[in-house]
């Protein structure tokens, strides 16, 4: 029952998906010394090294998600990287910001442009150095301007996550259990080498390795070890007034239980990712074997105060466009912004835990804001390959209440 | 020789330049007893500023002072009340002109000093803010500040912009703008609202001149005395502008913190103040002033300001001027007051009385009880000292004028009795019988009863025309209202004396005719019963409580019910049931079940609608869901907005009935009494102003009441008098 208009354009294929390892997003992190430009240029070079038949003249655009495009990440980092990487002058570059969804948005836009028939080959992905350009460095009226905050009932995401957990009666232990599982899966996946195909080490100008693994993963995490962490949002909720704002709207809830903390929320990290998206003709021209086909993309949203429940409506919309049901999907990647958010998604769509984030998620490995969506897509396609399975869905919750989803069909 | 002509005499702002080149601007509105920013002021100040600019070379400095008892009373509220959204352009232009003049004064390039005799609040204080130096008199009484927020406005004469630049964003908002405190001279000096204090009014202008002379024509080229800090090169807002990293961290919580403080009630003025302050801090001072003007305009032309000003300014002023006091009787002051019953209420009443300078005999059945009463008084006074409201010496003086006693003979000659014993008719009658012969022969005899009819109580005294109700509210030190209840035989003279007494102890009187529940208890009861009625209908109690605070009530009703106790509510309903035509409120079923089935009697008994754990906050009792079957989650059978409107409408409609029945004598009494006594949302201007200010005015209110009646019951049907008022396009004045 796919949308008839959507089926008329040429299919969009994913030919390759690569990423850097994720470094701790602090001064102590391994990638703190690496400029965001270099993270991307390194990947652009690697993309060409492993696809030797790819003629860069065919790359029409570099689309990069980057959520804090100031300082090191300012001035349309995508075009800057394209030039710095030695791509042809005719290769354009554009930076976009859809908050946490930016990396997936970049891929979605690339796929949509391929399907329009007007473009053939686009490199899409994202970059974020949270250690060098901290989150919220770019300001913005949503949080900073009182009238805008009043009009939009702004609350920080962590309050939304705690609200969701309270609404559904998920307690601290339940959220910490989810987080522990994410850590265990990520550690196992790394140990099994499941990321080896697509995760490329970051090296310095002398070829020395700066980072070759996801720095944040803590395999020894237990519910007990997480119990010691203090809830991160209790103070701003109770004393900063954000609980009060949320409960004006969710008036039937007596009090918000604060249970999210650094250990059951997405980690702050540095990283970059690229996905090569193109038409069948481009694939043929450049000797590229398509790995997956983008079946559908969708955007939706949730009320901005609860904010993080957008994935379900976006996923339903994308599935409808793809002509598929939830039951058809073999694997889900739902960004682990907060434990309660993934639990809510699984509940909304009736999706089992054993096919959701099977190789762990952002709680264990971190969420480099502008890049994550592209990373999740690459992880998904790799795992569909490994399992010889067919359909996968990537979805993410997003600031402002947005939801985004992409459905892919892995090609054998 | 001064250059002042005959024409100048009629100016609201007189201009007088002396031979030393010092110009004194004297604020002296020829048509009023106090200065306000009326048309005469605006025109006159324009001329004064124009002349200062023209004669600038001959001017060494300016002293701004007033010929009135106060410096300047502020904006012209009566005119502002008439502004509608169609007047936006004119309102904005007027505000901008007022500010242009003050800005011209501020940037004249000569030192300008405000020499303030008496209070300078609101617009009046904003004139002083445009000066480079502010001098006041250390008289312990005068007040300084920007209280516009309390009337639903903002200090749009430059007050937001300038205080932000003086103190920084956070400090200006927290200490001056959002709460609008009125500061006495010492506190104003400490807070930086005033720069210098002199001992007497006569010292003001000389001090101003001295300051000008000390700072005029500074030889070292330092022009700082004639330039505000924000007009000097290199100026930075204290604490940082919104873009500074430190403030950027704190900014996101500004809006949410404000909403938490107001519990979600839709007060527009504090939000506009915060927005004007933050947005103004992002730009230069002149742009900031204009942004501020636009925000003030947006408040001024809308209904919330009109509603708040009606009750909190005009109605309060009407009452303080004796609106409901009979005209004939001469002013009266009690010389020796007897307060009988030294419990919480009696002690509070005694304390308020003594603080107003009247000696008090605080009596109870035995010495220990009386001593406990004075101990309570001491606690209250210590609190006041702690808050900087009085000195320890003043506290001692007040305490010394409160005399605990258990001997009736000590009450000999008291000319005011306030009885505050248990709510028991026989007990009260005994007190009156014992004391009436001992008190002064014409003593005013008052009872603090909250439920017993005054006429019935009066039967216990001989001089029934001197018997009256003085219903105080708990806690007495904080609650400004006193409900004066006139019995069938109470004379006008007695009412006048009671009125004078209430004003003397700096409280606000409303006058009510005797009936069950009077005005406040009766209407408060409708709020509580409506809330419990919604519990009976199965609404989620969390939503009910939150609907109340969202609507602007200061406290949630189920919590208040616990405070007054469910057993008292039962007791009151039982008594009311004796009247013919009494309709038992549906919510009583729930109250009876709570007490009868679950033994939950209220906060004092340790359990009510709430559970009161020893460690920590109270929670709503889970039995409300498990036993009474209330909705969980957001599935209440009543929409959230209906919950809010049911609460305000039920109180307003009962208030209309009180007016119809003659229980209430005036609209101001209704508005002020409902706000100050029983927590009616101030942002609606009181129970009757709610009708005027409702969307669509009285006709809209009547239509909505009809809808609520159809959905929820006949008690919402608008009374005939209200329907008539709406049809005649009238309002409650």
């Amino acid at each position: 029952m796919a949308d008839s208009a959507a089926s008329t354009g040429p299919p969009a294929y994913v030919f390759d998906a690569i990423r850097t390892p994720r470094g701790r997003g602090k001064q102590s992190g391994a990638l703190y010394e690496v400029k965001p430009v270099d993270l991307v240029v390194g990947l652009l070079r690697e993309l060409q090294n492993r696809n030797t038949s790819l003629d860069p003249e065919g790359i029409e655009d570099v689309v990069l998600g980057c959520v804090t495009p100031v300082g090191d990440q300012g001035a349309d980092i995508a075009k800057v990287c394209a030039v710095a990487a030695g791509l042809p002058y005719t290769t354009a570059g554009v930076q976009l910001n859809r908050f946490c969804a930016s990396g997936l948005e970049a891929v979605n836009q690339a796929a949509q442009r391929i399907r329009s028939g007007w473009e053939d080959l686009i490199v899409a992905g994202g970059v974020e150095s949270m250690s060098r350009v901290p989150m919220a460095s770019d300001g913005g009226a949503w949080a900073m301007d009182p009238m805008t905050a009043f009009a939009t009932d702004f609350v920080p995401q962590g309050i939304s996550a705690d609200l969701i957990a309270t609404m559904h009666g998920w307690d601290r232990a339940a959220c910490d259990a989810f987080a522990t599982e994410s850590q265990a899966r990520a550690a196992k996946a790394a140990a099994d080498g499941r990321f080896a195909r697509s995760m490329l080490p970051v090296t310095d100008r002398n070829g020395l390795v700066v980072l070759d693994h996801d720095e944040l993963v803590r395999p020894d995490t237990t519910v007990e070890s997480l119990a010691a962490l203090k809830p991160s949002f209790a103070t701003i909720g109770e004393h900063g007034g954000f609980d009060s704002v949320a409960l004006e709207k969710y008036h039937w809830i007596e009090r918000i239980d604060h249970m999210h903390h650094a250990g059951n929320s997405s980690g702050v990290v540095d990283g970059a990712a690229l996905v090569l998206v193109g038409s069948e003709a481009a694939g043929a021209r450049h000797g590229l074997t398509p790995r997956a086909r983008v079946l559908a993309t969708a955007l939706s949203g949730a009320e901005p105060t609860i904010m993080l429940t957008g994935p379900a409506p976006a996923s339903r919309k994308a599935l409808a466009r793809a002509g598929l049901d939830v039951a058809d999907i073999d694997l889900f990647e739902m960004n682990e912004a907060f434990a309660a958010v993934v639990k809510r998604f699984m509940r909304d769509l009736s999706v089992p835990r054993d096919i959701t984030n099977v190789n762990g998620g952002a709680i264990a490995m971190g969420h480099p804001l502008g890049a994550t969506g592209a990373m999740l897509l690459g992880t998904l396609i790799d795992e569909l390959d490994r399992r010889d399975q067919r359909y996968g869905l990537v979805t993410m919750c997003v600031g402002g209440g947005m939801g985004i989803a992409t459905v892919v069909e892995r090609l054998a | 020789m001064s250059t002042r002509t005959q024409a100048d005499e009629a100016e609201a702002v007189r201009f007088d330049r002396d031979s030393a080149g010092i110009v004194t601007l004297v604020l002296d509105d020829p048509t009023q007893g106090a200065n306000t920013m009326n048309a005469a002021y605006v025109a006159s100040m324009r001329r004064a500023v124009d002349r200062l600019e023209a004669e600038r070379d001959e001017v060494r400095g300016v002293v701004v002072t007033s010929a009135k008892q106060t410096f300047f009373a502020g904006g012209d509220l009566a005119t502002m009340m008439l502004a509608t959204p169609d007047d936006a352009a004119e309102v904005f232009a007027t505000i901008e002109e007022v500010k242009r003049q003050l800005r011209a004064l501020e940037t004249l390039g000569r030192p300008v000093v405000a020499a303030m005799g008496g209070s300078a609040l609101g617009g009046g204080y904003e004139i002083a803010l445009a000066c480079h130096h502010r001098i006041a008199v250390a008289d312990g009484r005068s007040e300084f500040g920007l209280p516009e927020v309390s009337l639903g406005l903002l200090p749009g004469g430059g007050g937001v912009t300038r205080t932000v630049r003086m103190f920084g964003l956070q400090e200006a908002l927290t200490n001056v703008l959002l709460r609008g405190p009125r500061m006495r001279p010492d506190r104003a000096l400490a807070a930086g609202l005033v720069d210098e204090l002199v001992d007497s009014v006569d010292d003001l202008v000389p001090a101003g001149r001295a300051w000008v002379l000390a700072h005029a024509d500074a030889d070292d080229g330092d022009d700082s005395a004639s330039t505000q800090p924000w007009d000097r090169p290199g100026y930075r807002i204290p604490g940082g502008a919104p873009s500074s990293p430190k403030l950027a961290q704190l900014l996101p919580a500004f809006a949410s913190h404000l909403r938490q403080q107001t519990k979600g009630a839709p007060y527009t003025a504090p939000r506009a103040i915060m927005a004007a302050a933050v947005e103004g801090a992002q730009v230069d001072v002149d742009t900031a002033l204009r942004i501020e003007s636009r925000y003030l305009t947006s408040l001024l032309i809308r209904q919330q300001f009109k509603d708040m000003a009606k009750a909190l300014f005009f109605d309060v002023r009407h009452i303080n001027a004796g609106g409901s006091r009979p005209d004939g009787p001469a002013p009266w002051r009690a010389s020796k007051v007897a307060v009988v019953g030294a419990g919480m209420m009696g002690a509070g009443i005694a304390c308020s009385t003594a603080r107003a300078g009247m000696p008090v005999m605080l009596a109870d059945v035995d010495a220990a009880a009386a001593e406990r009463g004075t101990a309570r008084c001491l606690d209250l006074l210590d609190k006041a000292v702690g808050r900087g409201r009085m000195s320890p010496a003043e506290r001692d003086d007040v305490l010394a004028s409160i005399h605990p006693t258990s001997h009736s003979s000590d009450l000999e000659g008291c000319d005011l009795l306030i009885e505050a014993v248990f709510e028991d008719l026989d007990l009260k009658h005994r007190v009156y019988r014992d004391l009436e012969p001992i008190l002064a022969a014409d003593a005013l005899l008052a009872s603090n009863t909250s439920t017993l009819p005054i006429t019935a109580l009066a039967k216990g005294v001989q001089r029934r025309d001197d018997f009256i109700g003085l219903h105080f509210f708990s806690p007495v030190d904080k609650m400004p209202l006193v409900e004066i209840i006139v019995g069938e035989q109470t004379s006008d003279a007695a009412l006048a004396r009671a009125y004078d007494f209430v004003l003397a102890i700096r409280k606000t009187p409303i006058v009510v005719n005797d009936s069950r529940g009077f005005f406040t208890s009766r209407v408060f009861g409708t709020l509580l019963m409506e809330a419990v009625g919604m519990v009976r209908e199965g609404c989620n109690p969390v939503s009910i409580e939150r609907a109340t605070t969202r609507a602007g009530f200061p406290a949630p009703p189920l919590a208040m019910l616990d405070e007054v106790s469910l057993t008292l509510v039962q007791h009151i309903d039982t008594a009311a049931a004796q009247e013919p035509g009494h309709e038992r409120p549906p919510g009583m079923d729930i109250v009876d079940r709570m007490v009868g089935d679950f033994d939950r009697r209220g906060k004092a008994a340790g359990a009510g609608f709430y559970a009161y754990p020893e460690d920590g906050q109270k929670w709503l009792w889970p039995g409300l869901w498990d036993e009474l079957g209330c909705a969980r989650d957001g599935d209440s059978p009543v929409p959230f907005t209906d919950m809010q409107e049911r609460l305000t409408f039920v109180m307003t409609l009962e208030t209309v009935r009180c007016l119809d029945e003659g229980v209430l004598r005036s609209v101001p009494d209704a508005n002020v009494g409902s706000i100050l006594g029983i927590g009616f949302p101030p942002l609606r201007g009181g129970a009757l102003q709610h009708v005027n200010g409702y969307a669509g005015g009285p006709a809209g209110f009547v239509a909505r009441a009809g809808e609520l009646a159809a959905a929820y019951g006949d008690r919402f049907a608008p009374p005939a008098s209200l329907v008539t008022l709406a049809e005649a396009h009238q309002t409650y004045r």
Side-chain angles (χ1 to χ4, degrees), chain B residues 141-163:
Chain B
R141 273 183 299 104
S142 296
E143 292 180 323
F144 305 91
L146 299 168
E148 283 89 334
V149 66
S150 59
L151 294 182
L153 292 175
L154 65 76
V160 176
T161 304
R162 290 190 173 93
T163 53

Side-chain angles (χ1 to χ4, degrees), chain B residues 594-618:
Chain B
M594 292 289 282
V595 175
D597 295 351
F598 304 111
D599 197 25
R600 302 187 72 86
R601 296 162 189 268
K603 182 176 176 187
F609 284 94
Y610 283 79
Y612 297 89
E614 286 200 6
D615 54 334
Q617 279 182 285
K618 61 181 189 288

Side-chain angles (χ1 to χ4, degrees), chain B residues 188-540:
Chain B
L189 183 71
L193 262 64
V194 153
D195 301 311
E196 185 185 336
L197 293 180
V198 295
D199 287 332
S200 88
V201 176
D202 298 326
D203 298 329
L204 270 176
V205 171
R209 293 173 54 83
W211 186 84
V212 165
L213 287 171
H215 292 91
D217 322 318
D219 291 338
D220 56 5
D222 170 15
D223 64 347
S224 60
S226 26
T227 314
Q228 299 282 32
W230 46 87
D231 287 325
R232 294 177 208 156
Y235 165 78
R236 298 184 110 67
I237 293 183
S243 56
S244 71
K246 203 184 80 175
L247 204 54
Q249 280 215 352
L250 304 170
L251 258 179
F254 276 30
S256 56
H257 191 252
L258 177 58
R259 287 169 81 155
Q260 183 184 47
Q261 296 291 99
T262 53
K263 300 193 188 114
Y267 282 98
T268 49
R271 296 186 182 199
I273 288 173
M274 181 173 279
V278 172
E279 292 178 35
Q282 293 177 291
V283 296
D284 65 280
V285 64
D286 291 294
T287 306
L289 288 168
R290 194 163 59 253
I291 291 171
E292 179 193 285
S293 295
R294 296 195 193 279
Y295 273 113
L296 173 57
T297 302
S298 74
L299 295 175
L300 218 155
I301 58 179
R302 291 200 168 83
Q303 191 62 34
Q304 197 172 107
F305 151 62
K306 298 179 174 52
D307 289 341
M308 292 178 74
K310 171 67 166 71
L312 301 173
F313 182 81
F314 292 100
D315 288 347
V316 167
R317 189 173 67 171
H318 174 86
I319 287 173
N320 286 341
S324 291
R325 182 196 189 280
D327 284 330
W332 177 75
R333 184 176 166 84
S335 43
K336 192 172 158 206
V337 181
V339 176
V340 177
M344 288 299 308
M345 295 298 288
I349 295 168
C351 196
S352 295
T353 305
R355 283 181 77 171
M358 289 168 271
V360 182
M361 308 302 300
L362 181 56
D364 211 312
V365 288
D366 58 53
E371 290 289 345
R372 277 197 298 277
T374 39
R376 286 193 184 98
C377 292
L378 180 55
D379 281 346
L380 292 171
L381 294 169
D382 279 339
K383 266 200 312 189
V385 171
R387 270 189 258 115
R389 296 249 183 277
M390 64 167 57
S391 67
E394 285 166 336
R395 172 201 60 204
D396 295 342
D397 283 344
V398 171
L399 196 62
S401 66
I402 302 174
H403 307 279
T405 179
S406 55
H407 303 297
S408 331
S409 53
D410 286 335
L411 306 185
E412 185 176 342
C414 284
D415 56 356
L416 169 60
L417 165 72
I418 305 178
E419 166 272 305
V421 305
F422 290 128
E423 287 288 86
D424 179 323
L425 187 70
D426 292 331
L427 171 61
K428 289 180 190 289
H429 277 175
R430 258 181 286 134
V431 168
Y432 306 149
R433 191 189 59 221
D434 289 347
L435 294 180
E436 194 180 1
I438 298 173
L439 304 165
D442 60 349
L444 182 64
L445 309 167
S447 172
N448 176 47
T449 184
S450 57
T451 59
L452 297 170
I454 294 300
T455 306
L457 284 176
K459 296 205 164 79
V461 307
Q462 304 289 326
R463 290 179 292 111
R464 292 178 191 172
D465 52 342
D466 284 334
F467 191 87
I468 197 161
L470 277 182
H471 177 204
F472 287 80
F473 292 79
S474 177
V476 176
D477 62 324
K478 288 214 175 70
M479 298 293 276
L481 190 74
V482 177
E483 187 178 26
I484 300 176
I485 306 124
V486 175
E488 268 172 34
Q489 294 175 285
T490 309
S491 70
D492 274 358
L495 171 55
R497 285 197 281 166
Y499 207 99
D500 291 343
F501 172 72
V502 174
L503 289 180
I505 60 172
R506 290 187 278 272
K507 291 199 180 291
T508 305
I510 63 168
V511 177
V512 153
N513 289 323
D514 192 20
S515 64
R516 183 163 294 281
F518 316 134
F519 163 59
T520 58
S521 301
R522 173 173 163 181
V523 173
F524 187 60
T526 64
L527 169 69
L528 298 183
M529 284 298 106
E530 195 64 28
V532 181
M534 288 196 270
V535 173
R536 184 172 176 277
E537 292 166 35
C539 293
N540 191 328

Side-chain angles (χ1 to χ4, degrees), chain B residues 15-31:
Chain B
F15 187 109
D16 180 11
R17 171 157 60 84
D18 70 12
S19 49
I22 297 179
V23 172
T24 308
L25 296 181
V26 182
L27 306 165
D28 191 10
D29 189 316
T31 64

Side-chain angles (χ1 to χ4, degrees), chain B residues 645-694:
Chain B
E645 288 205 309
R646 282 172 64 169
L647 298 170
T648 55
F649 271 63
V650 81
M651 291 179 82
T652 290
L653 291 163
E654 194 69 19
T655 303
V656 170
R657 291 184 202 105
C658 285
L659 194 64
D660 287 347
E661 293 166 24
V663 174
L664 277 168
R665 295 183 171 194
S666 80
V667 171
D669 283 348
N671 287 332
V672 173
S674 66
I675 291 174
L676 297 185
I678 51 180
F680 195 89
L683 63 90
R684 303 209 184 276
L688 293 181
Q689 183 62 20
H690 185 26
V691 175
N692 299 345
Y694 194 75

Side-chain angles (χ1 to χ4, degrees), chain A residues 79-164:
Chain A
K79 177 57 179 172
V80 169
C81 290
V83 177
L87 290 179
Y89 305 148
T90 48
T91 303
V94 67
Q95 171 263 326
L96 63 81
N97 177 12
R98 197 188 288 287
F99 298 133
C100 308
S102 298
L104 191 63
E105 175 67 22
V107 173
N108 286 0
Q109 284 192 18
Q112 290 153 8
R113 288 158 62 179
I114 302 301
R115 285 183 61 57
S116 75
W118 289 354
E119 283 169 301
D120 271 331
L121 193 62
I122 297 173
V123 172
V127 60
E128 202 82 41
S129 174
M130 300 178 78
S131 64
R132 296 171 68 106
V133 188
M135 193 165 57
S137 300
D138 59 327
W142 186 33
M144 301 303 220
D145 177 53
M147 266 304 162
T148 306
F150 291 134
T152 59
D153 302 326
F154 164 75
V155 301
Q157 296 187 346
I159 303 293
S160 310
D162 286 339
L163 173 66
I164 292 169

